[in-house]
Amino acid sequence: MSDCIFCKIIQGEIPSVKIYEDDCVFAFMDINPISTGHTLIIPKMHAENIWEIPEADLAAIHVASKKIAQAMRNALDPLGVAALQLNGRGVNQLVMHYHLHLIPRTAEGPEIALTKWDLIPGNMAAIQKTGEKIAAALR
Ligand code: 5GP
Ligand code: ZN
């Protein structure tokens, strides 16, 4: 979709810190991370939400989430990893291209909100470094 920022990220028109890609799925670091390692997993084919996304893409995202969560565990040693996915403005979906958040919680990190949090731009050098650690653990 031409005016979708996540489609632009997939096309490389907007830069991103990519950590994983396969035929159906693209994963990259969130630029306003709730925690160190906050990652988004999206379908390459645009779909807005859980009602629109084809089942095959949904399955591929969840298979990828297992690989990425494993890499997060190896790379970051978190207390846990939250998988979070919002559908519709009523629960504060901000980007209308389906995305699964993977949010690791480290020992020093606060509890993780469910549908509302402040978007605070992260330090891009630190995000890049964490992304490289997770990507390396995926290989
Ligand atoms: P939602 O509330 O829709 O589930 O969350 C959208 C997420 O997309 C937010 O965590 C936000 O930080 C992230 N986001 C929005 N724009 C961009 C962008 O241009 N690049 C990246 N990497 N993340 C983005
Ligand atoms: Zn899109």
Side-chain angles (χ1 to χ4, degrees), residues 3 7 38 40 57 72 121:
D3 61 346
C7 284
H38 184 172
L40 302 172
D57 281 354
M72 283 175 168

Side-chain angles (χ1 to χ4, degrees), residues 44-125:
K44 286 187 171 172
M45 195 172 76
H46 181 91
E48 188 166 310
N49 53 39
I50 197 163
W51 299 292
E52 281 190 4
I53 188 169
E55 287 181 4
D57 281 354
L58 195 58
I61 284 171
H62 282 266
V63 171
S65 77
K66 183 171 172 70
K67 293 181 188 151
I68 296 166
Q70 183 66 52
M72 283 175 168
R73 188 152 74 171
N74 294 342
L76 307 176
D77 191 26
L79 295 177
V81 176
L84 172 66
Q85 196 271 310
L86 303 176
N87 300 283
R89 301 277 182 209
V91 290
N92 299 308
Q93 182 181 1
L94 300 177
V95 178
M96 306 318 265
H97 179 131
Y98 184 101
H99 49 282
L100 179 67
H101 296 260
L102 277 190
I103 309 166
R105 183 175 174 222
T106 49
E108 63 277 9
E111 293 285 351
I112 293 166
L114 190 58
T115 64
K116 194 162 173 48
W117 58 87
D118 294 329
L119 289 185
I120 302 169
N123 175 312
M124 279 316 295

